[in-house]
Short mmCIF file of all heavy atoms in Angstrom, two decimals:
data_model
loop_
_atom_site.label_atom_id
_atom_site.label_comp_id
_atom_site.label_asym_id
_atom_site.label_seq_id
_atom_site.Cartn_x
_atom_site.Cartn_y
_atom_site.Cartn_z
N GLU A 50 6.37 -16.59 -11.48
CA GLU A 50 7.40 -16.92 -12.47
C GLU A 50 8.41 -15.81 -12.67
O GLU A 50 9.55 -16.01 -12.91
CB GLU A 50 6.75 -17.25 -13.81
CG GLU A 50 6.10 -18.61 -13.86
CD GLU A 50 5.40 -18.88 -15.18
OE1 GLU A 50 5.45 -18.03 -16.10
OE2 GLU A 50 4.78 -19.96 -15.29
N ALA A 51 7.89 -14.54 -12.63
CA ALA A 51 8.75 -13.42 -12.99
C ALA A 51 8.32 -12.17 -12.27
O ALA A 51 7.22 -12.09 -11.72
CB ALA A 51 8.72 -13.22 -14.51
N ALA A 52 9.20 -11.17 -12.30
CA ALA A 52 8.94 -9.90 -11.67
C ALA A 52 9.57 -8.77 -12.47
O ALA A 52 10.50 -9.00 -13.26
CB ALA A 52 9.50 -9.87 -10.22
N LEU A 53 9.08 -7.56 -12.28
CA LEU A 53 9.59 -6.39 -12.96
C LEU A 53 9.74 -5.25 -11.97
O LEU A 53 8.84 -4.95 -11.18
CB LEU A 53 8.61 -5.96 -14.07
CG LEU A 53 9.10 -4.82 -14.99
CD1 LEU A 53 10.21 -5.34 -15.90
CD2 LEU A 53 7.94 -4.29 -15.81
N PHE A 54 10.90 -4.63 -12.00
CA PHE A 54 11.21 -3.47 -11.11
C PHE A 54 10.80 -2.20 -11.83
O PHE A 54 11.13 -2.01 -13.03
CB PHE A 54 12.71 -3.47 -10.79
CG PHE A 54 13.16 -2.40 -9.86
CD1 PHE A 54 12.66 -2.31 -8.57
CD2 PHE A 54 14.11 -1.47 -10.27
CE1 PHE A 54 13.09 -1.32 -7.67
CE2 PHE A 54 14.57 -0.49 -9.39
CZ PHE A 54 14.05 -0.41 -8.10
N ALA A 55 10.10 -1.31 -11.15
CA ALA A 55 9.67 -0.05 -11.78
C ALA A 55 9.79 1.07 -10.74
O ALA A 55 9.91 0.82 -9.54
CB ALA A 55 8.23 -0.18 -12.28
N PRO A 56 9.76 2.33 -11.18
CA PRO A 56 9.97 3.43 -10.26
C PRO A 56 8.94 3.56 -9.15
O PRO A 56 9.27 3.87 -8.01
CB PRO A 56 9.96 4.68 -11.14
CG PRO A 56 10.13 4.25 -12.53
CD PRO A 56 9.66 2.81 -12.58
N THR A 57 7.65 3.37 -9.47
CA THR A 57 6.59 3.63 -8.47
C THR A 57 5.52 2.55 -8.51
O THR A 57 5.34 1.82 -9.49
CB THR A 57 5.89 4.98 -8.75
OG1 THR A 57 5.19 4.86 -10.01
CG2 THR A 57 6.87 6.13 -8.80
N GLY A 58 4.73 2.55 -7.42
CA GLY A 58 3.59 1.65 -7.36
C GLY A 58 2.46 2.09 -8.29
O GLY A 58 1.69 1.27 -8.78
N THR A 59 2.36 3.40 -8.49
CA THR A 59 1.37 3.91 -9.47
C THR A 59 1.68 3.29 -10.85
O THR A 59 0.77 2.84 -11.55
CB THR A 59 1.45 5.44 -9.53
OG1 THR A 59 1.13 5.97 -8.24
CG2 THR A 59 0.49 6.01 -10.56
N GLN A 60 2.98 3.22 -11.15
CA GLN A 60 3.37 2.67 -12.47
C GLN A 60 3.16 1.15 -12.52
O GLN A 60 2.66 0.63 -13.53
CB GLN A 60 4.79 3.04 -12.84
CG GLN A 60 5.08 2.65 -14.27
CD GLN A 60 6.41 3.21 -14.75
OE1 GLN A 60 7.42 2.53 -14.69
NE2 GLN A 60 6.42 4.42 -15.22
N THR A 61 3.55 0.40 -11.46
CA THR A 61 3.33 -1.06 -11.53
C THR A 61 1.85 -1.39 -11.60
O THR A 61 1.47 -2.33 -12.29
CB THR A 61 4.02 -1.80 -10.34
OG1 THR A 61 3.68 -1.14 -9.12
CG2 THR A 61 5.51 -1.86 -10.52
N ASN A 62 1.02 -0.63 -10.90
CA ASN A 62 -0.43 -0.85 -11.01
C ASN A 62 -0.91 -0.60 -12.40
O ASN A 62 -1.67 -1.39 -12.98
CB ASN A 62 -1.19 0.05 -10.02
CG ASN A 62 -1.22 -0.52 -8.60
OD1 ASN A 62 -1.19 -1.74 -8.41
ND2 ASN A 62 -1.31 0.38 -7.62
N LEU A 63 -0.52 0.54 -12.99
CA LEU A 63 -0.97 0.87 -14.35
C LEU A 63 -0.48 -0.18 -15.37
O LEU A 63 -1.23 -0.59 -16.25
CB LEU A 63 -0.46 2.28 -14.73
CG LEU A 63 -0.84 2.76 -16.12
CD1 LEU A 63 -2.35 2.77 -16.33
CD2 LEU A 63 -0.28 4.19 -16.35
#
Side-chain angles (χ1 to χ4, degrees):
E50 283 177 3
L53 187 71
F54 182 61
T57 65
T59 299
Q60 189 171 94
T61 48
N62 279 331
L63 179 58

